[in-house]
C-alpha cells in the first residue's frame, strides 16, 4: 500500500490536551545519524511539538497541533527524507527486523568466504612479486580475484548500498556513504590495475572492509533485537473484547471500544478482567499480582474494585465499568513504560553527535587528500589510491566493534552467572549504578509462598491436608501441597467459591480453606495472626476434630542476607519499595538490615521515589517482578527482574536473573564494571588509532592494502581486549575454592531446565 492509499488520519489519536498523536514504524533507520535526521526534519514542520524515534524498535512517536499540520504532511516529510513509514505494529516490526538479521548473516557469510579465497590468491601474488612471478600468472590471479570480489561485494554490500543510495536520494549523508564510496573506488581501481596488468590490486581490501563492517553491524543488530519484546508482552495482557450485559439480562460479546463507563460486563472464572470497574454482584478471588505484586489471591465481593489485566480465579462476577478502554490502569502502565523508555536518550544523543560529524569529516579529508596530491603533481590514479587509503583507514570498524564486542563477551559471562541481558546499553548503565531499589515479593523473597514450620506439623495431618490441597488452584493450597509432598489427590472434591474445598474421606468430611469455612473461633484466629505476622492463614479440619491452621508466607531467597551484606560492603545504597502491606515489608527490611523502605506504594509513587533519587544525583538499579513494578523498571537508570517475573516486567527490565539466589544481581554489577572499563579502553584505542593512522595515510605512506590491514588490526585489538574479560573470569574460577567453583559454574542448560521445570 502506498502512502496515498492509506487513510493516515484513521491512525491518529487525540490526547487529553487536544493534541494529535501518531505512532509509526520507520524503515531505513540504520544509525544515530538517521534518528537525528528524522527528529530534526520533523521539528522544522510547523505545528509539530515532539518527534521521538526509538533507535531500538524504530518506533517514531509524533505529537502535533491539529490546526497547523496533519498526518499526511508528516508522512510526506519522512518520505522526502528518504524513509518509509507504516502504522506501528510490533508483529510487523519484528518480522522486518528478523528478515534484516537473516540478510546480514548471509552477507557476512558471503563476504567471509570471499575474503578467505581472495586472500589466498593475493598472498601468492605478493610473494610472486618479490620472487619473480610471471605477468600472465599474476594477471590470471587478479582476474580470478575480480570474479570472486565483484559479485561478493555487490551481494554483501547491499545493506550499505541501500542505505547510502537512500541518503543520497534525499540529498543527505550518513555513515554508509563513505563506506560505499571507499569500497566502490577500491574495486574500480583494482579493475583498472588488472586491465593495465599492474603489480597490485585491492580486491582483498574491499572485501575485508565489508566483512569487518558486517560483523559490527550484525552484533549490534543482535543486541537490539533483544529489547523489542516490551510492546508484544504488554499487548498480551489486554483483552480485546468484553461480555456486555444488556438491560434485559442477555449477554453479548463486544469490542472494548463499544463499552462505555457505567456499563455492566460479565467476567467468567479463569478470564482476564477486560476493563477497570467495581463489582456489582458475585464472590470470587482475583489474582492481582500484576497490580500489587502479591501472589496470594484476593477475595473480592460487591463494592470491591477490579483492574484490567488481572485474572478472575474462581467464580463469575458482574462488574460495572468505571473507565473506558484507553484509560485503565493497564493503559496507564503502558504509557508510563513508553515515556520512561523514551527518556533514555543520553547515550543515543552522544552517538548522534559523533555520527553527524563522521561523514562530512571523512569525505572532506579524502577529498582534500586527493586534491592536494593531484595539485602537487601526482597522477590521478596515485592521488586516488591515497584518497582510498584515507577512506579505508578511517572506516569506523574498531569504533563500531568497541562496544558490541564487549557486550557480547560480557553477555556470555553474565549468562554463566545466571543473568540475561535485554538492553544493548544495560552494561554501561549497570556499571554506573550506585543505588539499588528492591521490590519485596518475588524479588527479595521467593516467588512462591511456603508453609512455615512444616517439619513441626503432624505428618498424618499434613499428608491428608496436602492430598485435599492438590484439588485446588489457590496459591495457599499449592504451598500446602508442596510442603506435604502429596502426590495422589482425594476424589469427589467440592469447591465453595471464595471459601475453600471439601471432600468425604473414610466417612468423615475434610475441609480446607478459610478460618470461617473450617469453623475456627475468632479468638484462635486473632492469636494465630499475632504469632505469625505477615503470613496468610489456611485452615484444615478433619471431621469433628478442631481445625488446624497453617501459616503460609513468603520466604527470603536463600542467599538474600549474604548478598545484601555484600552489596552494602561494596558501597551501594539500598532501599525497598513495595506495593505489599506494611507488616511483611517491615519484617523483610528488618531481617536484611535495610533502613530505607516503604510499603503499599502505587506504580506512580514508585516512579516518584525514583525521580527523587535521580534528583539527588543517584543512578538507581531497580529490581522488581510485578506489573506494578514495570513502570519503575523502565524509569530507573537500569533495571533487573527475576525470571519468574511477569512478562511485562521482564520486557521492561534491562536484564533478567535466573534461579532462587539473589547473588546474580551482585555478579551482574561486578561484570558490568569490568566491561565498562574495557569499553572505555576500546573507545580510547579507536580514537588514538585514527589520530595516528590518518596522518600516515594522508602523507601517502599507506596503500589501500595496508590501510585495510591496519583497519583489520584495530578491529582485532578491540576484540581481543573484549575477550580478555573472559580470561580474567577463568583466572578467578581457577583461584576459587572447589566448592565455590562448583557453585559458580553450573551448566547454563541445567539452569534453564530447572527454570522451565
Amino acid at each position: 500500500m502506498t502512502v496515498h492509499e492509506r487513510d493516515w488520519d484513521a491512525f491518529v489519536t487525540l490526547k487529553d490536551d487536544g493534541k494529535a498523536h501518531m505512532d509509526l514504524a520507520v524503515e531505513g533507520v540504520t544509525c544515530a545519524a538517521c534518528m537525528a535526521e528524522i527528529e530534526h526534519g520533523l521539528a522544522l514542520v510547523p505545528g509539530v511539538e515532539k518527534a521521538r524515534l526509538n533507535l531500538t524498535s524504530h518506533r517514531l512517536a509524533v505529537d502535533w497541533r491539529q490546526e497547523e499540520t496533519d498526518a499526511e504532511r508528516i508522512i510526506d516529510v519522512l518520505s522526502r527524507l528518504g524513509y518509509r513509514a507504516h502504522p506501528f505494529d510490533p508483529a510487523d516490526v519484528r518480522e522486518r527486523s528478523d528478515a534484516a538479521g537473516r540478510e546480514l548473516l548471509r552477507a557476512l557469510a558471503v563476504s567471509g568466504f570471499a575474503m578467505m579465497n581472495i586472500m589466498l590468491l593475493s598472498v601468492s601474488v605478493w610473494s610472486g612479486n618479490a620472487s619473480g612471478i610471471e605477468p600472465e600468472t599474476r594477471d590470471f590471479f587478479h582476474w580470478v580475484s575480480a570474479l570472486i570480489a565483484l559479485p561478493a561485494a555487490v551481494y554483501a554490500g547491499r545493506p550499505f548500498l541501500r542505505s547510502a543510495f537512500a541518503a543520497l536520494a534525499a540529498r543527505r549523508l550518513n555513515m554508509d556513504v563513505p563506506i560505499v564510496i571507499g569500497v566502490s573506488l577500491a574495486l574500480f581501481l583494482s579493475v583498472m590495475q588488472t586491465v593495465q596488468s599492474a603489480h597490485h590490486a585491492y580486491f582483498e581490501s574491499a572485501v575485508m572492509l565489508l566483512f569487518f563492517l558486517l560483523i559490527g553491524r550484525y552484533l549490534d543488530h543482535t543486541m537490539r533485537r533483544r529489547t523489542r519484546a516490551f510492546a508484544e508482552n504488554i499487548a498480551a495482557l489486554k483483552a480485546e473484547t468484553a461480555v456486555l450485559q444488556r438491560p434485559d439480562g442477555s449477554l453479548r460479546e463486544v469490542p472494548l471500544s463499544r463499552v462505555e463507563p457505567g456499563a455492566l460486563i460479565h467476567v467468567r472464572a479463569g478470564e482476564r478482567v477486560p476493563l477497570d470497574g467495581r463489582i456489582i454482584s458475585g464472590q470470587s478471588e482475583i489474582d492481582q499480582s500484576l497490580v500489587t505484586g502479591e501472589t496470594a489471591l484476593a477475595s473480592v465481593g460487591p463494592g470491591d474494585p477490579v483492574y484490567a489485566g488481572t485474572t478472575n480465579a474462581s467464580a463469575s462476577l458482574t462488574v460495572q465499568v468505571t473507565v473506558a478502554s484507553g484509560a485503565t490502569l493497564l493503559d496507564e502502565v503502558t504509557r508510563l513504560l513508553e515515556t520512561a523508555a523514551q527518556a533514555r536518550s543520553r547515550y543515543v544523543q552522544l552517538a548522534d553527535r559523533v555520527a553527524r560529524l563522521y561523514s562530512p569529516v571523512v569525505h572532506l579529508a579524502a577529498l582534500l587528500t586527493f586534491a592536494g596530491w593531484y595539485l602537487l603533481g601526482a597522477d590521478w590514479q596515485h592521488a586516488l589510491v591515497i584518497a582510498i587509503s584515507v577512506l579505508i583507514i578511517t572506516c569506523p570498524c574498531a569504533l563500531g566493534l568497541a562496544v558490541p564486542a564487549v557486550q557480547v563477551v560480557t553477555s556470555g559471562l553474565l549468562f554463566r552467572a545466571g543473568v540475561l541481558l535485554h538492553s544493548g546499553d544495560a552494561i554501561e548503565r549497570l556499571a554506573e549504578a550506585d543505588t539499588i531499589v528492591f521490590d519485596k515479593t518475588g524479588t527479595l523473597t521467593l516467588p512462591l509462598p511456603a508453609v512455615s514450620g512444616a517439619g513441626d506439623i503432624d505428618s498424618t495431618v499434613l499428608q491428608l491436608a496436602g492430598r485435599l490441597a492438590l484439588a485446588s488452584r489457590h496459591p495457599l493450597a499449592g504451598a500446602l501441597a508442596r510442603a506435604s509432598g502429596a502426590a495422589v489427590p482425594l476424589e469427589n472434591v467440592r469447591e465453595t467459591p471464595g471459601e475453600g474445598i471439601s471432600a468425604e474421606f473414610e466417612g468423615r468430611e475434610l475441609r480446607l480453606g478459610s478460618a470461617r469455612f473450617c469453623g475456627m473461633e475468632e479468638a484462635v484466629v486473632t492469636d494465630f495472626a499475632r504469632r505469625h505476622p505477615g503470613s496468610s492463614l489456611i485452615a484444615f479440619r478433619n471431621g469433628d476434630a478442631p481445625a488446624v491452621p497453617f501459616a503460609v508466607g513468603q520466604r527470603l531467597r536463600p542467599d538474600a542476607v549474604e548478598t545484601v551484606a555484600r552489596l552494602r560492603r561494596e558501597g551501594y545504597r539500598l532501599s525497598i519499595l513495595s506495593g505489599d502491606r506494611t507488616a511483611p515489608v517491615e519484617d523483610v527490611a528488618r531481617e536484611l538490615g535495610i533502613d530505607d523502605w516503604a510499603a503499599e506504594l502505587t506504580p506512580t509513587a514508585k516512579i516518584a521515589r525514583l525521580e527523587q533519587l535521580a534528583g539527588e544525583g543517584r543512578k538507581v538499579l531497580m529490581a522488581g517482578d510485578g506489573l506494578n513494578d514495570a513502570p519503575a523498571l523502565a524509569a530507573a537508570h537500569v533495571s533487573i527482574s527475576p525470571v519468574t517475573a511477569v512478562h511485562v516486567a521482564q520486557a521492561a527490565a534491562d536484564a533478567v536473573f535466573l534461579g532462587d539466589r539473589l547473588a546474580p544481581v551482585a555478579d551482574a554489577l561486578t561484570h558490568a564494571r569490568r566491561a565498562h572499563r574495557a569499553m572505555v579502553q576500546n573507545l580510547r584505542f579507536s580514537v588514538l588509532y585514527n589520530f595516528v593512522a590518518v596522518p600516515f595515510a594522508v602523507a601517502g605512506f599507506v596503500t589501500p592494502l595496508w590501510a585495510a590491514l591496519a583497519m583489520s588490526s584495530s578491529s582485532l585489538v578491540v576484540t581481543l581486549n573484549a575477550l580478555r574479560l573472559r580470561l580474567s573470569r577463568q583466572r578467578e574460577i581457577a583461584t576459587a575454592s572447589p566448592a565455590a567453583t562448583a557453585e559458580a559454574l553450573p551448566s547454563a542448560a541445567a539452569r534453564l531446565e530447572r527454570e522451565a521445570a
Side-chain angles (χ1 to χ4, degrees):
M1 181 177 289
T2 69
V3 293
H4 303 294
E5 296 170 336
R6 180 176 283 129
D7 181 10
W8 286 102
D9 290 334
F11 298 94
V12 176
T13 57
L14 294 180
K15 303 174 70 173
D16 294 338
D17 55 5
K19 295 185 177 63
H21 175 86
M22 186 164 59
D23 289 313
L24 299 167
V26 183
E27 282 188 36
V29 177
T30 58
C31 62
C34 302
M35 185 184 72
E37 186 81 19
I38 291 172
E39 293 181 353
H40 293 164
L42 290 177
L44 299 176
V45 178
V48 172
E49 293 200 337
K50 188 182 77 173
R52 187 71 184 93
L53 178 68
N54 187 315
L55 197 57
T56 299
S57 63
H58 293 183
R59 180 175 185 168
L60 174 65
V62 189
D63 294 340
W64 70 89
R65 296 185 293 276
Q66 292 188 90
E67 60 275 14
E68 297 183 47
T69 189
D70 55 24
E72 294 284 354
R73 187 172 181 185
I74 289 171
I75 299 301
D76 288 341
V77 170
L78 288 173
S79 182
R80 286 201 303 273
L81 291 173
Y83 301 96
R84 293 187 61 189
H86 309 272
F88 184 79
D89 179 359
D92 189 41
V93 171
R94 181 187 61 223
E95 185 178 343
R96 284 201 300 273
S97 177
D98 290 345
R102 290 193 294 271
E103 183 188 31
L104 285 174
L105 191 59
R106 287 195 298 269
L108 181 62
V110 169
S111 61
F113 181 78
M115 181 188 71
M116 288 187 293
N117 284 278
I118 296 172
M119 283 300 294
L120 288 175
L121 297 169
S122 297
V123 169
S124 301
V125 172
W126 300 336
S127 58
N129 284 335
S131 59
I133 189 173
E134 293 291 334
E136 293 80 6
T137 304
R138 182 178 58 227
D139 293 345
F140 175 74
F141 282 2
H142 280 166
W143 279 116
V144 174
S145 298
L147 288 175
I148 299 173
L150 292 175
V154 171
Y155 184 85
R158 287 184 303 166
F160 308 102
L161 288 169
R162 277 198 303 270
S163 172
F165 286 152
L168 293 174
R171 298 181 180 179
R172 60 184 177 86
L173 296 174
N174 63 13
M175 294 178 72
D176 291 334
V177 173
I179 292 170
V180 169
I181 292 176
V183 171
S184 301
L185 288 177
L187 291 173
F188 169 75
L189 191 61
S190 297
V191 172
M192 291 289 294
Q193 302 278 49
T194 302
V195 171
Q196 296 172 358
S197 191
H199 282 66
H200 298 286
Y202 309 107
F203 295 112
E204 74 287 332
S205 305
V207 179
M208 187 185 298
L209 179 65
L210 284 176
F211 177 70
F212 281 98
L213 284 169
L214 285 166
I215 289 178
R217 189 153 293 189
Y218 183 73
L219 291 177
D220 183 65
H221 172 83
T222 302
M223 295 302 297
R224 293 180 189 281
R225 186 182 57 189
R226 300 177 181 177
T227 68
R228 69 176 181 228
F230 137 71
E232 301 167 17
N233 287 311
I234 194 75
L237 291 175
K238 290 183 177 178
E240 297 296 330
T241 60
V243 178
L244 184 66
Q245 183 173 321
R246 292 176 165 180
D248 62 358
S250 62
L251 302 178
R252 176 65 64 88
E253 186 171 355
V254 298
L256 292 186
S257 58
R258 300 281 299 278
V259 182
E260 299 292 336
L264 297 181
I265 57 174
H266 190 72
V267 184
R268 291 165 292 199
E271 291 183 343
R272 287 196 182 277
V273 178
L275 294 165
D276 292 358
R278 194 168 294 279
I279 297 174
I280 299 299
S281 64
Q283 291 278 352
S284 184
E285 292 177 311
I286 296 286
D287 178 0
Q288 298 192 111
S289 57
L290 295 178
V291 177
T292 64
E294 180 58 51
T295 54
L297 296 180
S299 296
V300 293
D304 290 332
V306 291
Y307 300 97
T310 58
T311 303
N312 179 19
S314 56
S316 297
L317 295 171
T318 300
V319 176
Q320 185 175 41
V321 176
T322 54
V323 296
S325 177
T328 65
L329 178 63
L330 190 61
D331 295 314
E332 182 186 357
V333 168
T334 304
R335 283 191 289 273
L336 289 170
L337 281 167
E338 292 174 349
T339 302
Q342 291 182 357
R344 295 172 179 169
S345 59
R346 185 164 61 86
Y347 293 93
V348 175
Q349 288 174 356
L350 178 61
D352 174 16
R353 289 196 293 271
V354 174
R356 288 166 61 189
L357 289 175
Y358 170 77
S359 294
V361 169
V362 168
H363 284 103
L364 184 62
L367 183 62
L368 291 177
T369 301
F370 176 82
W373 278 94
Y374 188 72
L375 292 175
L376 289 175
D379 63 79
W380 72 271
Q381 287 192 3
H382 183 59
L384 186 59
V385 168
I386 297 174
I388 292 173
S389 300
V390 172
L391 277 176
I392 292 177
I393 213 164
T394 54
C395 180
C397 285
L399 196 61
L401 283 173
V403 175
V406 175
Q407 285 176 331
V408 169
V409 172
T410 306
S411 296
L413 294 174
L414 290 173
F415 180 71
R416 290 182 178 84
V419 179
L420 306 177
L421 291 179
H422 275 169
S423 173
D425 61 348
I427 295 171
E428 298 102 297
R429 288 183 281 119
L430 277 170
E432 294 172 347
D434 57 12
T435 301
I436 305 173
V437 174
F438 291 102
D439 173 50
K440 180 190 75 70
T441 307
T443 305
L444 289 172
T445 67
L446 293 171
L448 295 176
V451 176
S452 301
D456 301 330
I457 302 171
D458 185 293
S459 59
T460 305
V461 172
L462 183 61
Q463 183 68 19
L464 200 55
R467 292 183 62 187
L468 183 58
L470 286 173
S472 174
R473 294 177 300 173
H474 198 288
L476 298 185
L480 184 57
R482 288 191 297 274
S484 68
V488 181
L490 295 179
E491 297 179 348
N492 301 320
V493 176
R494 302 177 300 278
E495 181 169 359
T496 303
E499 295 292 341
I501 55 177
S502 59
E504 294 293 329
F505 180 74
E506 296 180 348
R508 308 186 306 276
E509 184 189 40
L510 307 183
R511 286 193 170 196
L512 180 70
S514 66
R516 182 177 63 250
F517 183 63
C518 295
M520 287 185 67
E521 296 180 359
E522 190 65 30
V524 176
V525 175
T526 303
D527 179 64
F528 185 87
R530 181 184 57 77
R531 289 186 287 109
H532 299 87
S535 296
S536 299
L537 181 152
I538 183 171
F540 171 71
R541 194 180 76 186
N542 184 354
D544 296 330
V548 178
F550 298 96
V552 181
Q554 300 289 339
R555 290 183 302 162
L556 283 177
R557 291 181 181 268
D559 63 339
V561 175
E562 294 82 0
T563 302
V564 167
R566 172 185 166 187
L567 293 170
R568 190 181 293 111
R569 286 196 305 272
E570 293 177 355
Y572 291 101
R573 176 176 170 180
L574 305 177
S575 300
I576 298 176
L577 300 181
S578 176
D580 201 357
R581 293 169 291 129
T582 299
V585 177
E586 184 178 11
D587 287 345
V588 168
R590 187 188 311 114
E591 189 168 353
L592 294 175
I594 298 177
D595 299 327
D596 183 13
W597 60 271
E600 302 181 14
L601 295 179
T602 64
T604 305
K606 289 187 177 184
I607 289 182
R609 177 60 177 153
L610 294 183
E611 290 176 345
Q612 180 186 351
L613 289 171
E616 297 171 2
R618 292 283 174 176
K619 306 291 186 185
V620 178
L621 164 63
M622 177 72 199
D625 71 324
L627 177 64
N628 60 328
D629 298 317
L633 290 168
H637 184 69
V638 64
S639 53
I640 191 169
S641 283
V643 73
T644 51
V646 298
H647 291 309
V648 172
Q650 287 188 27
D654 298 300
V656 170
F657 68 92
L658 309 177
D660 291 340
R661 299 166 63 243
L662 196 61
V665 176
D667 293 340
L669 292 166
T670 302
H671 284 304
R673 289 195 299 271
R674 293 175 178 169
H676 188 260
R677 284 196 294 272
M679 289 177 186
V680 172
Q681 291 165 356
N682 279 354
L683 291 172
R684 287 176 177 171
F685 169 80
S686 302
V687 174
L688 180 64
Y689 156 78
N690 278 292
F691 271 109
V692 173
V694 170
F696 280 93
V698 172
F701 295 117
V702 181
T703 65
L705 172 62
W706 283 108
L709 289 175
M711 180 274 298
S712 303
S713 300
S714 66
S715 303
L716 192 61
V717 168
V718 298
T719 304
L720 290 175
N721 191 46
L723 292 174
R724 189 173 56 83
L725 295 173
R726 184 172 296 174
L727 296 177
S728 63
R729 171 61 176 164
Q730 291 173 348
R731 280 198 298 272
E732 282 182 6
I733 294 172
T735 55
S737 66
T741 303
E743 184 182 9
L745 275 182
S747 160
R751 284 189 177 204
L752 291 176
E753 287 175 1
R754 288 203 301 272
E755 296 304 330

